[in-house]
């Protein structure tokens, strides 16, 4: 039975170093929740406190109604999947998956049933008698996942489980992990520094920096409405445009910027009436304007083609707005390339001009 996880004012300090600083999080039961951030941000330390490997300096952790803050790791019923997989090399796949059940003294018949079920879930039944060194990286990853899930944990914890796989296999395993966790309805906390990994499969996520949660919520919300420059930049490519608030019009904020006058409908309620701000505009939100006026794009500006990187399904255009500002625009299913120096009229919708909070 999965449980929600409630984290309140959790703090971890190693000597004078604060690794996690008074974090509050609510993780829904049965959801796939990501802790995301650069190296050293505190995400793995937070995961290890949830697992019971680290004792918090302050704060509380609840699984459902149960306070597990000071409960030993072996009493929390957490399944853990490590970055290295940590499989016993001398044991078969079946023996590796069954290990946690033997430690828990589950009787043989029930143990066999649960191992068979777990191996079937990860599509590894046919490899049950092989040793780990006879498996590919992706297969070892599935065995490690089966071993973590076979104990029927209240909470499943994944510490960068795909980091050892090649790019193509990572894409395949993302979907498999999401499908398996959702089918089992296990509350899952997943640590990664890979933003695409998080955006593609998470139900919820938190972005951390220097031990603090900077922003938490649904992946699309964080991508479309980042709260500051750090989140906007960390969760994908973006253009930062300096601007000045000069008024309001029809529910939009009107800005003066190097792109000319811009309208934005993406801003916080506490935005000042005037002043200097920074806007985030994603490259995919900027397109070349058609000859016919499009009322969906109130923001248009002139630019010159600078250079293009062709990537097959998309082209990355660098366009020069003036001598001091070059911005990036993505074109899906690109057509004939435009020579450098070509005059362009670019456009962006008002909801894609995001006024940041810092």
């Amino acid at each position: 039975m999965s449980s929600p996880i409630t984290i309140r004012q959790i703090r971890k300090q190693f000597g004078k170093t604060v690794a996690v600083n008074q974090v509050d999080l609510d993780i829904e039961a049965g959801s796939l929740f990501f802790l995301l951030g650069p190296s050293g941000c505190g995400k793995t330390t937070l995961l290890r406190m949830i697992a019971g490997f680290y004792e918090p300096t302050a704060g509380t952790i609840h699984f459902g109604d149960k306070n597990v803050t000071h409960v030993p790791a072996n009493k929390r019923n957490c399944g853990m999947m490590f970055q290295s997989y940590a499989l016993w090399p001398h044991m078969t796949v079946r023996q590796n998956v069954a290990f946690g059940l033997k430690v828990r003294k589950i009787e043989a018949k029930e143990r066999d049933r649960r191992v068979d079920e777990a191996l079937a879930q990860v599509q590894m039944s046919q490899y049950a008698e092989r040793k780990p060194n006879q498996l590919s990286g992706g297969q070892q990853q599935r065995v490690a996942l089966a071993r973590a899930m076979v104990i029927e944990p209240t909470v499943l914890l994944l510490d960068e489980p795909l980091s050892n796989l090649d790019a193509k296999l990572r894409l395949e395993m993302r979907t498999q992990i999401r499908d398996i966790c959702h089918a089992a309805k296990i509350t899952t906390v997943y640590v990664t520094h890979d933003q695409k990994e998080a955006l593609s499969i998470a139900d919820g996520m938190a972005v951390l920096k220097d031990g603090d949660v900077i922003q938490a919520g649904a992946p699309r919300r964080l991508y479309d409405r980042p709260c500051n420059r750090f989140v906007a930049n960390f969760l994908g490519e973006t253009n930062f445009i300096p601007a000045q608030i000069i008024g309001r019009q029809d529910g939009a904020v009107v800005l003066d910027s190097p792109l000319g006058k811009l309208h934005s409908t993406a801003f916080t309620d506490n935005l000042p009436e005037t002043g200097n701000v920074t806007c985030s505009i994603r490259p995919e939100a900027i397109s070349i304007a058609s000859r016919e006026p499009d009322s969906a794009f109130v923001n248009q500006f002139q630019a010159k083609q600078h250079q293009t990187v062709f990537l097959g399904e998309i082209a990355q255009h660098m366009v020069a707005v003036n001598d001091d500002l070059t911005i990036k625009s993505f074109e899906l299913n690109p057509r004939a390339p435009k020579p450098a120096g070509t005059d362009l009229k670019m456009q962006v919708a008002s909801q894609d001009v995001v006024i940041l909070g810092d």
Side-chain angles (χ1 to χ4, degrees), residues 165-322:
L165 304 182
D166 61 57
K168 187 175 181 181
L169 193 53
R170 285 172 74 102
L171 290 173
E172 180 184 322
M173 291 309 302
R174 281 179 200 168
T175 305
Q176 288 196 11
I177 286 178
R178 180 194 62 200
D179 292 346
I180 290 168
C181 291
H182 282 173
K185 298 180 180 178
I186 297 175
T187 307
T188 303
V189 183
Y190 188 127
V191 161
T192 186
H193 62 271
D194 187 329
Q195 50 270 60
K196 291 191 182 299
E197 201 169 294
L199 290 168
S200 62
I201 65 173
D203 297 313
M205 59 195 293
V207 177
L208 288 85
K209 179 186 178 186
D210 298 332
D212 294 313
V213 171
I214 306 302
Q215 190 173 1
R220 182 170 288 276
R221 177 69 183 176
L222 267 63
Y223 185 82
D224 290 342
R225 298 290 182 268
C227 67
N228 61 21
R229 288 178 67 107
F230 175 78
V231 176
N233 194 46
F234 189 80
L235 289 182
E237 296 188 67
T238 194
N239 298 290
F240 291 117
I241 309 296
Q244 184 177 23
I245 301 171
I246 57 175
R248 300 286 199 278
Q249 183 178 327
D250 299 328
V253 173
V254 183
L255 304 154
D256 185 29
S257 80
L259 308 184
K261 187 179 288 186
L262 292 175
H263 288 70
S264 170
T265 56
F267 52 88
T268 58
D269 293 336
N270 59 355
L271 194 71
E273 289 297 316
T274 59
N276 295 324
V277 294
T278 300
C279 299
S280 167
I281 307 177
R282 300 287 185 190
E284 65 271 20
I286 302 172
S287 58
I288 299 172
S290 60
R291 293 181 181 178
E292 296 298 323
D294 188 340
S295 59
F297 295 96
V298 296
N299 300 313
Q300 297 195 347
F301 58 94
Q302 297 297 133
K304 286 184 181 292
Q305 177 71 20
H306 179 58
Q307 65 180 25
T308 294
V309 177
F310 177 68
L311 297 175
E313 73 278 11
I314 68 167
Q316 296 182 349
H317 301 300
M318 297 300 296
V319 299
V321 178
N322 54 44

Side-chain angles (χ1 to χ4, degrees), residues 20-40:
V20 175
N21 184 31
Q22 295 181 306
V23 163
D24 290 321
L25 281 176
D26 293 287
I27 301 172
E28 293 182 6
S31 67
L32 181 55
F33 192 91
F34 274 65
L35 300 176
L36 186 67
S39 298

